[in-house]
């Protein structure tokens, strides 16, 4: 699984500072909001870090006369704690003997942080990562060696971790650990290196090993040694990388969009690890009696709002209205005693920010759901939830959409549990269904060739309807938006029941109708809608639940997804439609990462 959140680079070599800064620049494509480095000089750790871009950081760097041969660096994409100098990595322990950089999300850091504070540790940042340095220090204070302390630390910490550590206790080593988040190492006559991605290592070596899950790797001059978490020596497998720089930035995928589609299992796993305290804080703003709740967003984020609205009705028996942000001020007048849940991956969409400002001016409270900590939406919201997708570079929203759906599901499920609208038993059942999603999506992605062939067959179509009923209307709208924005095929998402009130007039032999038809209570009616379209010569491509022979029979093409609780089908069924849009665009000779007339973040109203 590929993970992009932050960039790590470390090396033992000559001209370490230059190499770290160059390595971090090569990781810039991943997106970041702050930069930092730590080097060892005269048995002292020197740290420099700041919010902002690497070029600015270099301009202000005051380390000209330092000649170090060991160091680590980091580009941060904020997930816990806003972008700031304090929250930038590296982080240190209290004694100044240990510096760490981390990429990933720690699940149990709050509880450990509290315990360490009780023991006298002083924290300088609001990050989850800082706890790593303090925990290692705590074990050392209790008599353990540096390596033992590091092993114990990673046995205790839950979550995804790629970490590089330097210490004046053993000043000739960089100690790396990896679980779920990637960390690669390379060795050559130019030095020993670690990095969170291959492009950073390419100037020095093409002989690269991926650190296996749950392994510690100790880097020394001309030497690399891997151990398991109990200290048993193990082997690393080196491979010769033949990618050029551009291919390496995309982890070998031809486009960012497909890379990001394949990152979805990881993005969802990390979003499922959001500490409950963040969800509970948001719930406080939903709880007042007689409160009206609205959801607002634009484009794909609006589709997440629509999902939230269906979810609220089905799970909570509550009517929560979704409103497209650009229409918000036109359609809502009285917002007193209201809460608005505003969804935006970038956190900078002008229409959504305008809706938020308007709602606030009318007395509403705002819950933000965004992928970008430190963005305008996090500043304007009373409370926010940060989805854990990592930066999304392709213009078409993919992984950020699925993590929005997951976040809103977590929020409403927990709200329902607290309000007694969902029983403990149903809550647990649904949570175990949700926890299956990353694995299921991995399985769906393994079948991407099926979609590729269907995309080839339909890539020269000029029109497509995406039809569904109930909560899968969300999937239909999102599937149509994906297809139209990157393939320029005219595509419309419609409630299937509405299709006979006008849209059916366009159907003639060969018109493509894509039905989202998993097994839920709308299935019988959907079959009726498929037959109506088929009777008029439409070509039918259906997304169905595994083993649904009846819909297979009446479809020209189909794609099967595993069975899941019906309210979660949009999360699964969106994936084949993202793949479909991607492959159609590629077959039409278009660049899916840069669709015409579109920007990643629409900052004009
Ligand atoms: O950053 P936001 O989520 O606020 O962006 C909203 C829309 O501009 C965005 O979802 C757009 O529709 C995407 N290009 C869809 O793929």
């Amino acid at each position: 699984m590929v993970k992009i959140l932050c960039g790590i680079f470390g090396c033992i070599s000559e001209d370490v500072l230059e190499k770290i800064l160059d390595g971090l620049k090569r990781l810039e494509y991943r997106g970041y909001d702050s930069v930092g480095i730590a080097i060892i000089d005269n048995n002292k750790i020197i740290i420099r870090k700041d919010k902002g871009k690497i070029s600015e950081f270099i301009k202000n760097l005051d380390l000209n006369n330092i000649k170090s041969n060991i160091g680590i660096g980091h580009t941060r994409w904020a997930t816990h704690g806003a972008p700031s100098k304090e929250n930038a990595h590296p982080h240190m322990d209290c004694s100044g003997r240990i510096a760490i950089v981390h990429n990933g999300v720690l699940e149990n850091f709050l509880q450990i942080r509290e315990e360490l504070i009780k023991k006298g540790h002083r924290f300088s940042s609001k990050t989850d990562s800082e706890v790593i340095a303090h925990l290692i220090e705590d074990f050392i204070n209790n008599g353990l060696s540096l390596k033992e302390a590091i092993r114990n630390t990673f046995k205790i910490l839950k979550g995804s971790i790629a970490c590089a550590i330097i210490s004046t206790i053993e000043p000739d080593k960089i100690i790396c650990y990896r679980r779920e988040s990637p960390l690669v190492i390379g060795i050559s006559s130019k030095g020993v290196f670690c990095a969170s991605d291959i492009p950073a290592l390419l100037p020095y070596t093409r002989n690269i090993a991926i650190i296996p899950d749950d392994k510690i790797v100790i880097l020394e001059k001309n030497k690399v040694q891997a151990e398991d978490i109990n200290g048993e020596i193990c082997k690393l497998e080196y491979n010769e990388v033949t990618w050029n720089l551009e291919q390496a930035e995309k982890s070998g995928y031809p486009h960012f969009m497909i890379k990001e589609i394949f990152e979805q299992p990881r993005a969802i796993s990390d979003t499922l690890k959001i500490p409950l305290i963040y969800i509970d804080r948001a719930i406080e703003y939903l709880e007042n009696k007689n409160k009206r709740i609205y959801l607002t967003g634009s484009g794909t984020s609006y589709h997440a709002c629509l999902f939230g609205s269906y979810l609220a009705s089905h799970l909570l028996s509550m009517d929560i209205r979704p409103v497209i942000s650009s229409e918000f001020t036109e359609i809502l007048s009285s917002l007193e005693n209201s809460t608005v849940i505003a969804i935006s991956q970038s956190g900078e969409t002008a229409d959504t920010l305008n809706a938020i400002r308007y709602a606030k001016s009318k007395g509403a409270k705002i819950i933000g759901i965004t992928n970008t900590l430190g963005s305008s939406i996090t500043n304007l919201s009373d409370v926010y939830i940060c989805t854990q997708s990592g930066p999304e570079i392709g213009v078409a929203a993919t992984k950020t959409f699925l993590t929005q759906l997951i976040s809103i599901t977590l929020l409403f499920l927990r709200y329902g549990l607290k309000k007694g609208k969902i029983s403990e038993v149903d809550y647990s059942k649904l949570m175990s269904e949700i926890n299956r999603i990353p694995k299921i999506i991995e399985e769906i992605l393994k079948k991407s060739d099926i979609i590729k062939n269907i995309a080839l067959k339909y890539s020269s179509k000029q029109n497509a309807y995406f039809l569904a009923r109930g909560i899968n209307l969300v999937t239909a709208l999102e599937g149509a938006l994906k297809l139209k924005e990157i393939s320029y095929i005219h595509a419309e998402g419609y409630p299937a029941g509405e299709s006979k009130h006008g849209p059916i007039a366009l159907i003639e032999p060969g018109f493509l109708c894509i039905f989202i038809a998993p097994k839920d209570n709308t299935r019988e009616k959907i079959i009726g809608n498929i037959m109506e379209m088929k009777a008029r010569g439409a070509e039918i491509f259906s997304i169905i639940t595994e083993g649904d022979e009846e819909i297979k029979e009446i479809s020209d093409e189909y794609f099967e997804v595993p069975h899941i609780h019906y309210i979660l089908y949009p999360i699964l069924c969106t994936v084949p439609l993202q793949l479909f849009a991607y492959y159609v665009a590629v077959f039409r000779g278009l660049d899916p990462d840069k669709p015409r007339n579109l920007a990643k973040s629409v900052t004009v109203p």
Side-chain angles (χ1 to χ4, degrees):
M1 261 195 272
V2 187
K3 168 158 187 132
I4 52 169
L5 283 179
C6 305
I8 291 176
F9 185 85
C11 69
I12 303 175
S13 173
E14 285 174 2
D15 303 322
V16 148
L17 196 55
E18 287 82 347
K19 288 194 172 89
I20 295 175
L21 294 170
D22 180 68
L24 294 181
K25 273 195 216 149
R26 286 169 189 275
L27 297 172
E28 267 190 312
Y29 70 92
R30 296 152 67 92
Y32 65 102
D33 49 57
S34 25
V35 193
I37 55 129
I39 51 176
I40 301 186
D41 181 53
N42 280 327
N43 215 28
K44 256 188 79 183
I45 294 180
I46 301 175
I47 290 196
R48 295 289 183 274
K49 54 185 189 174
D50 214 340
K51 185 180 159 182
K53 293 289 160 202
I54 297 175
S55 49
E56 275 306 299
F57 179 76
I58 294 175
K59 269 193 219 154
N60 299 326
L61 209 56
D62 57 348
L63 297 176
N64 289 340
N65 299 322
I66 304 273
K67 283 264 166 282
S68 163
N69 61 4
I70 185 162
I72 51 179
H74 191 262
T75 47
R76 174 172 189 252
W77 168 266
T79 59
H80 295 85
S84 68
K85 183 171 180 170
E86 292 69 35
N87 291 335
H89 297 216
H91 293 291
M92 282 187 115
D93 66 330
C94 298
S95 70
R97 289 175 299 168
I98 300 159
I100 67 102
V101 288
H102 167 232
N103 173 10
V105 181
L106 299 178
E107 278 169 67
N108 54 345
F109 80 99
L110 278 172
Q111 169 204 338
I112 293 172
R113 186 182 159 111
E114 267 165 38
E115 284 162 18
L116 288 168
I117 288 172
K118 277 185 205 144
K119 288 183 177 180
H121 287 258
R122 292 280 162 271
F123 282 76
S124 328
S125 77
K126 293 206 161 56
T127 64
D128 52 343
S129 309
E130 191 183 351
V131 86
I132 299 173
H134 290 271
L135 200 50
I136 296 171
E137 177 185 34
D138 202 58
F139 283 119
I140 290 172
N141 290 347
N142 284 317
L144 297 194
S145 71
L146 178 66
K147 270 208 266 175
E148 285 165 341
I150 289 173
R151 276 186 223 129
N152 280 9
T153 295
F154 292 124
K155 279 182 187 171
I156 287 178
L157 287 172
K158 291 189 186 146
S160 51
I161 302 167
C163 186
I165 302 158
I166 53 172
S167 170
T168 54
I169 301 167
E170 300 203 36
D172 55 342
K173 294 185 179 63
I174 299 177
I175 303 186
C176 300
Y177 172 76
R178 182 220 154 173
R179 186 196 305 150
E180 291 178 27
S181 295
L183 201 54
V184 296
I185 55 139
I187 179 163
S188 73
S189 56
K190 294 177 182 155
V192 188
F193 306 88
C194 63
S196 34
D197 210 353
I198 292 169
L201 300 189
L202 289 183
Y204 313 110
T205 180
R206 289 185 167 267
N207 193 28
I208 284 167
I210 295 172
I211 302 182
D213 237 21
D214 207 23
K215 299 286 181 287
I216 289 174
V217 173
I218 299 139
L219 311 184
E220 283 178 84
K221 196 175 175 193
N222 303 325
K223 192 176 154 198
V224 172
Q225 181 172 301
E227 296 178 359
D228 71 12
I229 197 76
N230 297 313
E232 292 292 319
I233 308 273
C234 46
K235 262 186 92 177
L236 283 173
E237 205 177 298
Y238 286 88
N239 284 302
E240 184 72 12
V241 173
T242 52
W243 297 335
N244 63 31
L245 186 63
E246 199 198 331
Q247 288 166 325
E249 286 184 348
K250 294 172 189 154
S251 303
Y253 290 100
H255 300 100
F256 282 109
M257 182 177 174
I258 189 74
K259 174 174 180 266
E260 286 158 1
I261 290 173
F262 273 79
E263 279 169 9
Q264 294 183 117
R266 191 283 306 158
I268 294 174
S269 293
D270 278 353
T271 302
L272 288 171
K273 289 177 190 136
I274 294 174
L276 283 179
I277 185 169
Y278 294 112
I279 310 278
D280 288 345
R281 273 185 209 148
I283 286 174
E284 284 171 28
Y285 288 88
L286 295 176
E287 269 180 344
N288 278 355
K289 254 195 167 175
N290 304 323
K291 195 162 240 203
R292 277 166 303 156
I293 302 171
Y294 300 94
L295 287 143
T296 193
S298 309
T300 290
S301 294
Y302 170 71
H303 298 154
C305 295
L306 189 60
F307 175 78
S309 173
Y310 276 99
L311 209 63
S313 157
H314 286 237
L315 281 183
L316 311 172
S317 306
M318 280 172 75
D319 296 330
I320 297 187
R321 185 167 167 192
V323 182
I324 288 181
S325 294
S326 56
E327 290 297 316
F328 197 89
T329 57
E330 298 295 325
I331 211 159
L332 296 174
S333 51
S334 134
L335 284 155
E336 251 170 61
N337 200 29
S338 300
T339 289
V340 176
I341 304 173
I343 306 184
S344 167
Q345 81 78 23
S346 62
E348 299 296 351
T349 298
D351 288 330
T352 309
L353 297 180
N354 284 346
I356 293 175
R357 289 192 188 100
Y358 174 78
K360 281 177 78 127
S361 74
K362 298 266 176 185
K365 296 287 179 204
I366 311 294
I367 300 175
I369 298 184
T370 183
N371 195 43
T372 318
L373 199 55
S375 59
S376 303
I377 202 174
T378 59
N379 296 331
L380 288 171
S381 301
D382 293 281
V383 64
Y384 56 81
I385 296 171
C386 198
T387 56
Q388 305 290 316
S389 298
E392 189 173 67
I393 295 166
V395 164
T398 53
K399 59 178 180 170
T400 53
F401 176 58
L402 292 203
T403 58
Q404 287 170 347
L405 301 191
I406 292 285
S407 306
I408 196 93
T409 308
L410 292 179
L411 177 65
F412 283 177
L413 259 183
R414 198 153 165 83
Y415 175 64
L417 178 71
K418 287 201 160 190
K419 293 292 273 181
K421 288 170 184 274
I422 299 173
S423 69
E424 294 266 359
V425 175
D426 287 346
Y427 177 84
S428 307
K429 270 193 203 153
L430 262 162
M431 280 312 296
S432 57
E433 285 285 85
I434 293 168
N435 286 323
R436 287 171 56 218
I437 290 176
K439 277 266 163 300
I440 296 180
I441 294 184
E442 272 177 25
E443 293 308 312
I444 291 175
L445 291 170
K446 281 185 194 152
K447 298 194 295 179
S448 62
D449 275 352
I450 298 178
I451 294 289
K452 193 173 179 177
N453 288 331
I454 299 172
L456 179 61
K457 178 173 170 184
Y458 293 133
S459 58
S460 56
K461 295 280 177 204
Q462 290 309 314
N463 299 287
Y465 281 150
F466 287 69
L467 302 170
R469 283 173 177 263
I471 198 162
N472 269 300
L473 175 59
V474 171
T475 324
L477 293 172
E478 179 58 11
L481 178 63
K482 281 302 81 109
L483 187 67
K484 87 171 67 147
E485 74 178 322
I486 60 169
S487 75
Y488 316 145
I489 291 176
H490 168 241
E492 283 186 76
Y494 251 100
E498 187 67 10
S499 59
K500 54 186 173 302
H501 299 287
I504 201 166
L506 294 191
I507 302 298
E508 55 183 6
F511 195 107
L512 179 59
C513 284
I514 300 175
F515 280 89
I516 298 89
K519 281 188 178 162
D520 62 15
N521 65 338
T522 70
R523 181 175 164 280
E524 295 310 315
K525 285 186 176 154
I526 278 278
I527 290 176
N529 296 129
I530 295 177
M531 297 313 289
E532 283 161 11
M533 295 303 183
K534 212 176 151 61
R536 287 158 181 84
E539 289 208 43
I540 310 294
F541 166 27
S542 306
I543 309 293
I544 57 171
T545 304
E546 260 166 16
D548 192 336
E549 300 305 324
E550 195 180 350
I551 302 191
K552 279 186 199 173
E553 277 288 303
I554 56 173
S555 304
D556 297 288
E557 298 293 342
Y558 60 85
F559 184 85
E560 296 172 275
V561 299
H563 184 273
I564 200 156
H565 188 288
Y566 77 96
I567 59 155
L568 302 173
Y569 272 123
I571 302 175
L572 301 191
C573 295
T574 294
V575 179
L577 298 182
Q578 294 169 336
L579 290 167
F580 181 72
Y582 170 77
Y583 287 122
V584 168
V586 171
F587 287 130
R588 288 167 80 97
L590 301 167
D591 179 352
D593 285 343
K594 295 190 191 94
R596 69 184 176 208
N597 307 334
L598 291 177
K600 182 66 185 157
S601 176
V602 185
T603 53
V604 286

